[in-house]
Each structure stands twice: as C-alpha cells, then as structure tokens.
Amino acid sequence: MKEGIYLNLNKNYRFYIDGMWEESKSKEVIKIMSPYKDELVGTVQAISKDEADKAIQSAKIAQKEWEKLSIRDRGNYLYHWIEELEKSKEDIATTIMQEVGKGFQDAVKEVERTIDLIRFTIEEAIHLYGESMLGENFPGGNRSKIAISHRVPLGVVLAISPFNYPVNLSAAKIAPALISGNAVVFKPATQGAISGIKMIEALDRAGLPKGVLNVVTGHGSVIGNYLIEHQGIDMISFTGGSGTGKRIAKLANMIPLVMELGGKDPAIVVKDANLDLAAKQIVSGAFSYSGQRCTAIKRVFVDEMIADELIEKLSEELKNVTIGSPEENKMIVPLIDQKSADFVQSLIDDALEKNATLITGNQREGNLIYPTLLDHVTPNMRLAWEEPFGPVLPIIRVKTVDEAIEMSNQSEYGLQASIFSQDIDQAFIIAEKIQAGSVQINGRTERGPDHFPFIGTKGSGMGTQGVRRSIESMTREKVTVININ
Ligand code: G3H
C-alpha cells in the first residue's frame, strides 16, 4: 500500500440523487467503523422513505431519455466511467481495504476486475442482436407473418450489493443495467457503502446524466422493505444473505428478480484425486479473504482411504496462509464485525463439543479468527450444514462417492461444488448428480471469469448472472409482427 493514502477518513459521505450529492433531511448518519482497527472510516446518510421515493422518481424520469440514447452513446458514458475508475483506482482500493478489511492488493484487483467487467459488458451489449422469425416454421403458418424480436430495458433496476465485493458486485449489476437502457437505484451494503459511493463519484465525473443512477444509503429497517415493495421498481438484482433474499422474494411486486445468496459449497475429493492440487485449491478456495465469499469451499467430503493424506497436505498448505492486517495483504484478516466472528466461533465450539478433531486453528483475537481445520465432522454438527462466512473448514469423511453426493445435496444451498478426480468420466458423472449452479472439476469454487454464467439454485438464489446473462435479465424481448397482406 502507498504511504500517505489515508486522505479521507472521517468524511461524511452524501447520498446521490438527481445528479446531486445531498445530506439527508433526517439529519441522521450511520457510522462506518473499520473491521480491523478501532477507527471511524466515515459516515453515510440514513435517508428517509421520502428521500428513497424521490430517488426512485428521479430514476423513473431519467430512464425515459436514457433509453432513447443509442447503445454506443450509453457505452461512451461507461467508457468514461472506466477512465475515471482507472484514475481513482488506488483511492477506491484503499477505501475497500479500510471499510471491509480486504487486503490492499486484493482490493486493487477488485477494482481492476471491475474495470474489465464494465468494458466487457459494453462490448457484449453492443454485439447482442435481436432475431426475426417466419410464421411458416409453425404448422399451418406461412411466410406472410414475420416476427422481429429485440431486447428493451425493464425500467428502473434496484441494485442491492453485499459488503464483500462492494465495488465489483455493485458494478456487476449497474453496468449491465445502464448499458441496456435502464436507470438504477443503487443500495450498497451499509458496510461497503463508502466504497460504492466512491465508485459512483467516478461515474458522476464521467458525466452520467442526472437521475440515471441514484445512490441510497440508510437503515434496512427504514428503507429496505420500502424500496423492495415500491411500485416504481421494475427489477431487483440482489446479492446477500439467503434470509434477506427470501424476504425480497416474498415482498417484491411480481417483478423479475435475480438473486445470489449464501452457499455451502462442497469439495468432493475422490480416491484417485491429485491430492497436491486438491489441497492447494481447497485452501485457497476456503480461506481467501477469510472465507467471506459466497463461493468459498465450505466443507470437504473425502474418501476415508485418503483422508489422512489429504489432511496432511492441507495442513502443510495452511502453513503458507498469512494472518493479520489487510494493510499487509494478509490472507486471513479480521472478519467484517464482531457478530460474524462470534457466529463462526459458535460453529467451531459446537463441532468441538460434539467430538470433531481440531487439526489447526481455533484461536481468536477480537474478530480475527485463525484458519481452522476440523476433522471428523459429522451430520449432527451445525458446521456440516451452516454457512460460516469465515475461515473454518470441516472435513467430512465418507465411505463412498454416493455418500458425498447425497450429503452435498441434502444442503439447503446449491451454489457451486468442486470435484477432485483424475478420472474425467467419473468427475462428469458426479457433476451431473450434484445440485448446484456450477460444478468445478479440479479447481476451486469461484464466480469468475465474470462472463461465465453464475447461478444459485435452491437457497442459493434465482436467475443467472454473468455478463451476457445479466444483460438479458435486465431486459425483455419485444416482438413486433409484420403481417403481409
Ligand atoms: O461472495 C460472492 C461472490 O460472488 C464470490 O465471488 O467467487 O469471485 O470470490 P468470487
């Protein structure tokens, strides 16, 4: 990290409405504390329902003009956004580090990944075409009917993003929405809101027309349901916890929803796996950013014949895992808050009380939890089923591959899974049987590259993301039929 980059600590950040940065009339602000230092990062506005309503109305009006621009004109605004993000990359990365405790280099990577994602989104949208169909293909039809189908925006997209990728997962919603002619009401996670605001400051400097994107910050208890239920919202793209996702699905007004929620991604290690590869991928998959990724590997099913050998290799790999401050780019950093750390600790305690074997870890300093590996985890333990969102990995020994598949599928979640096997036929057969949006063969579970389809099934979400799929989810087909008489 560069010296002297702490420029903006303690600043009061405003919300963004109709092209203006405003303080809330509520006069209330929310303090954003650092997850790793006893330090105030800044404050954000706790806006009222009335202000949330105005933000939606502003977006509604602006969208009508925005969709009339050509896709290339809209793309040019987003290209300018990229230029501005390039210029403020270090500042935004520093904010991500300060606000959500992500290692500085990883925060820089997050901004770079975001820039690539926005660029890819513009290019993909420019190359998406409609189609035409002749009536004659259907029985009884004829060539005098021609349907022309192209995609049109949905209107106002409500983008709600999580703390763990406050920039990338926000832009993954905002860029496809904007390029396809939607306006956006952006509600960042409260812890992560300053990073989101800085990203939108760059979009403001790029000259985005007023109202096309508005940023709302505040207490979920005040504006959460109000935004979700608002008649002016035409689509919701949400990433966050499964509980909130289910509530959104109940409250939303028969509008399209795309949601990426929690996960309990398994790694299945079969007898013939390359164990060196598996150990490396599992440790990186389970412990990067302290396991605070929906796609983290959150349990390992291993054939009991090779379990000892795998655990030995995992333990060796874990020796390379660094622990400490995000400012020193450590892999294991303090969790986002005390409550999260308490929850992770409760899962470890429960497993140990029920006779799991501690291989390493179970040390804690505040909300810094050391990487913890537990063997002999069994189905009666909470850790076999619950998502820790922290650096703890349970090993579940199985006698057969079928047992691993069965336990994988018993989960309420279905985001991703990894299979480690050198027999590609066997890996494919297992992949077919696993209930998950994506299955990785011989690799860790992860979302990227960002143009791959990304899908949560069961309690892990609904709809598909990934650049093209996100554009499709924020548009609908419009069909015009020509009747030649
Ligand atoms: O936390 C949820 C993210 O979508 C995970 O993304 O696999 O790139 O870390 P990632």
Side-chain angles (χ1 to χ4, degrees):
M1 198 189 59
K2 263 196 179 171
E3 291 297 322
I5 196 109
Y6 280 85
L7 300 173
N8 293 321
L9 279 175
N10 298 337
K11 193 174 154 186
N12 181 24
Y13 290 87
R14 298 167 181 210
F15 76 113
Y16 185 57
I17 178 163
D18 221 25
M20 303 289 285
W21 294 98
E22 303 269 2
E23 279 185 18
S24 171
K25 297 211 167 38
S26 75
K27 299 280 174 228
E28 197 194 333
V29 293
I30 302 173
K31 286 183 177 173
I32 311 287
M33 299 301 295
S34 160
Y36 63 96
K37 273 183 175 174
D38 188 18
E39 185 171 82
L40 181 71
V41 182
T43 51
V44 296
Q45 308 299 307
I47 72 163
S48 63
K49 281 184 188 161
D50 187 46
E51 287 164 324
D53 180 57
K54 287 199 170 87
I56 295 170
Q57 300 307 342
S58 154
K60 204 90 213 156
I61 293 165
Q63 192 271 332
K64 293 194 171 50
E65 295 305 312
W66 179 246
E67 78 168 313
K68 286 184 198 157
L69 294 184
S70 76
I71 194 161
R72 285 194 174 270
D73 285 345
R74 291 197 298 268
N76 283 336
Y77 283 105
L78 299 193
Y79 279 127
H80 287 315
W81 187 20
I82 289 174
E83 286 164 18
E84 292 299 327
L85 287 172
E86 295 272 14
K87 285 185 216 159
S88 46
K89 186 163 81 180
E90 285 217 346
D91 181 38
I92 296 176
T94 304
T95 305
I96 295 173
M97 178 192 76
Q98 291 169 336
E99 191 179 20
V100 303
K102 184 173 283 189
F104 180 70
Q105 286 309 333
D106 285 342
V108 170
K109 279 190 209 144
E110 177 171 342
V111 182
E112 289 171 346
R113 176 179 180 179
T114 302
I115 288 169
D116 289 339
L117 181 141
I118 298 169
R119 189 178 292 112
F120 197 103
T121 303
I122 304 166
E123 289 162 3
E124 184 78 16
I126 283 174
H127 294 99
L128 277 179
Y129 303 105
E131 62 176 337
S132 67
M133 289 179 195
L134 295 177
E136 69 176 4
N137 296 68
F138 198 79
N142 63 58
R143 212 174 272 195
S144 67
K145 262 188 192 298
I146 305 169
I148 301 166
S149 163
H150 67 288
R151 301 197 81 85
V152 294
L154 297 177
V156 177
V157 170
L158 174 61
I160 311 177
S161 57
F163 81 82
N164 63 344
Y165 282 94
V167 166
N168 180 266
L169 278 172
S170 304
K173 303 171 193 321
I174 292 167
L178 293 181
I179 192 67
S180 48
N182 297 283
V184 175
V185 173
F186 170 38
K187 162 78 178 73
T190 299
Q191 191 92 30
I194 300 177
S195 310
I197 285 171
K198 290 220 162 180
M199 177 182 72
I200 300 307
E201 286 173 352
L203 185 55
D204 179 51
R205 289 195 296 275
L208 189 79
K210 65 175 190 170
V212 172
L213 181 137
N214 296 310
V215 183
V216 295
T217 55
H219 297 293
S221 55
V222 177
I223 57 168
N225 288 5
Y226 184 76
L227 288 166
I228 292 158
E229 291 176 319
H230 200 290
Q231 296 289 339
I233 295 296
D234 300 297
M235 188 266 175
I236 300 174
S237 177
F238 169 74
T239 302
S242 293
T244 312
K246 282 176 190 158
R247 206 184 74 233
I248 291 174
K250 282 196 183 122
L251 293 174
N253 272 311
M254 222 178 98
I255 54 173
L257 303 176
V258 171
M259 300 205 279
E260 185 218 331
L261 310 172
K264 186 74 182 168
D265 295 359
I268 298 177
V269 186
V270 297
K271 255 186 282 188
D272 71 346
N274 174 338
L275 293 185
D276 290 315
L277 171 83
K280 272 196 169 44
Q281 291 291 310
I282 290 170
V283 167
S284 135
F287 294 102
S288 48
Y289 189 34
S290 297
Q292 296 177 112
R293 299 165 51 239
C294 56
T295 47
I297 291 178
K298 291 175 183 139
R299 49 199 173 139
V300 175
F301 294 106
V302 56
D303 189 302
E304 60 182 9
M305 306 294 284
I306 53 159
D308 289 340
E309 199 184 339
L310 177 70
I311 288 166
E312 207 172 291
K313 288 182 190 292
L314 289 171
S315 304
E316 273 307 303
E317 274 304 315
L318 275 166
K319 288 183 186 152
N320 303 324
V321 166
T322 55
I323 304 162
S325 169
E327 292 177 17
E328 289 159 5
N329 294 307
K330 304 297 187 203
M331 184 169 173
I332 302 293
V333 290
L335 296 183
I336 192 71
D337 53 29
Q338 198 71 20
K339 195 171 146 221
S340 307
D342 289 347
F343 177 71
V344 174
Q345 188 64 54
S346 77
L347 294 179
I348 297 172
D349 293 346
D350 174 76
L352 290 174
E353 274 160 29
K354 292 173 182 159
N355 294 328
T357 311
L358 180 68
I359 305 293
T360 184
N362 191 27
Q363 261 181 277
R364 179 176 175 185
E365 290 159 21
N367 50 342
L368 175 67
I369 305 246
Y370 281 56
T372 300
L373 186 64
L374 291 161
D375 188 14
H376 299 291
V377 170
T378 47
N380 60 331
M381 300 174 193
R382 289 170 57 204
L383 195 53
W385 308 107
E386 294 182 35
E387 179 184 34
F389 229 66
V392 52
L393 184 63
I395 308 286
I396 301 171
R397 294 175 177 236
V398 291
K399 289 188 176 21
T400 63
V401 167
D402 284 344
E403 198 184 329
I405 296 169
E406 200 186 316
M407 267 192 83
S408 290
N409 291 346
Q410 269 171 20
S411 170
E412 64 181 287
Y413 298 108
L415 191 56
Q416 293 209 350
S418 287
I419 297 164
F420 292 94
S421 169
Q422 296 188 79
D423 176 348
I424 198 73
D425 291 358
Q426 173 175 231
F428 261 89
I429 291 166
I430 301 170
E432 273 297 298
K433 293 180 180 169
I434 291 289
Q435 296 167 359
S438 320
V439 180
Q440 306 269 354
I441 295 175
N442 293 324
R444 69 176 209 167
T445 46
E446 61 187 6
R447 173 167 47 112
D450 291 342
H451 67 306
F452 282 7
F454 183 50
I455 308 142
T457 63
K458 305 201 286 185
S460 292
M462 58 197 289
T464 308
Q465 295 179 87
V467 173
R468 181 149 66 87
R469 304 300 197 280
S470 295
I471 295 170
E472 285 169 354
S473 75
M474 292 170 175
T475 52
R476 63 178 170 80
E477 277 187 290
K478 173 84 184 275
V479 181
T480 310
V481 181
I482 301 172
N483 291 276
I484 303 168
N485 295 304

